[in-house]
Amino acid sequence: MPIAPMHIERLYQAVELVSASRLRANAPALTRLHSYPALASAAQAPASDTTEAFLRCAALAHAWSTQALRLDTAELGAAIAAFDAARAPEAVVGSGLIDPVAACLGSLENAATLLHLANPARFSLWDRELEAVHLGEPPSEYHMGQARSYLRFLATAQEVIAHPLFLTFHHAFCTAHQARLQRLGIPPYPLSELRVVESAAAELARAGR
């Protein structure tokens, strides 16, 4: 039976999952919990220029996805310009920022990761599992290659953030998250509002809910 689309009542299930989680020592999810703070810190470290910052984030994005880094250098200039615009605190999220980066990296999922590293308050991580939670069914390859699909995910996440119950959900999820980090011996780190939504969806994806 198709999974219900992403909404705050469903995302609330993730609080229980995080509280009860017992991750294996070699679980990919545990690796990501350990490595995310270093990833985010490295992405925000000072760079000599925008090109260096872009290339660093591109390498980090591909390391996060375990894919080899391949750049279409013909698209590099446009991608760097889009990346620079995306770093602005009030960056206008749209295909004009996403498409050039995806064209350069050859992957919309990796572009989402790079843009998240550039501006985690405006862009979320995004992959097939997250989109399956969002859609209620597995996405096609074509769907995952369309910027509008990622934009719809971001729009839904913003709808969740605007929900009257979000502050309560945010507190509950972050409390459970920090408690899990403490159990695992991982130094605590904050989550942006968008990261909370994406993290909760990731928990549901791993649990198959």
Side-chain angles (χ1 to χ4, degrees):
M1 186 174 203
I3 305 171
M6 189 168 70
H7 53 77
I8 196 164
E9 290 83 0
R10 184 173 174 223
L11 291 177
Y12 247 113
Q13 299 175 36
V15 176
E16 180 183 351
L17 292 171
V18 171
S19 297
S21 69
R22 296 292 182 268
L23 298 172
R24 302 186 314 276
N26 63 344
L30 181 55
T31 298
R32 292 196 164 201
L33 284 172
H34 272 285
S35 61
Y36 180 79
L39 184 86
S41 177
Q44 297 297 325
S48 59
D49 55 32
T50 307
T51 298
E52 179 186 328
F54 174 85
L55 292 173
R56 178 194 298 151
C57 285
L60 291 168
H62 282 263
W64 186 255
S65 69
T66 70
Q67 296 180 12
L69 175 59
R70 292 184 178 87
L71 299 175
D72 184 339
T73 55
E75 305 290 344
L76 186 58
I80 291 172
F83 165 78
D84 193 36
R87 292 193 294 178
E90 299 303 322
V92 178
V93 177
S95 59
L97 298 184
I98 298 167
D99 284 338
V101 178
C104 183
L105 301 186
S107 166
L108 183 56
E109 293 180 45
N110 287 334
T113 302
L114 184 148
L115 290 167
H116 170 74
L117 294 174
N119 191 341
R122 304 292 286 172
F123 299 91
S124 76
L125 297 171
W126 187 67
D127 57 26
R128 292 181 63 84
E129 290 188 345
L130 289 170
E131 187 61 8
V133 173
H134 179 223
L135 291 178
E137 60 185 16
S140 67
E141 290 294 333
Y142 176 80
H143 180 92
M144 293 302 296
Q146 303 299 306
R148 62 177 177 268
S149 302
Y150 178 46
L151 287 169
R152 281 195 291 264
F153 180 88
L154 292 175
T156 299
Q158 291 299 334
E159 289 174 5
V160 171
I161 291 169
H163 194 282
L165 292 176
F166 181 74
L167 287 179
T168 303
F169 164 69
H170 184 279
H171 176 75
F173 186 89
C174 287
T175 299
H177 172 74
Q178 299 297 353
R180 176 165 67 177
L181 294 180
Q182 186 174 32
R183 290 196 305 272
L184 295 170
I186 301 173
Y189 55 87
L191 300 176
S192 68
E193 292 181 339
L194 196 53
R195 176 73 170 144
V196 165
V197 176
E198 173 256 306
S199 296
E203 294 292 334
L204 296 180
R206 282 193 289 273
R209 294 192 182 185

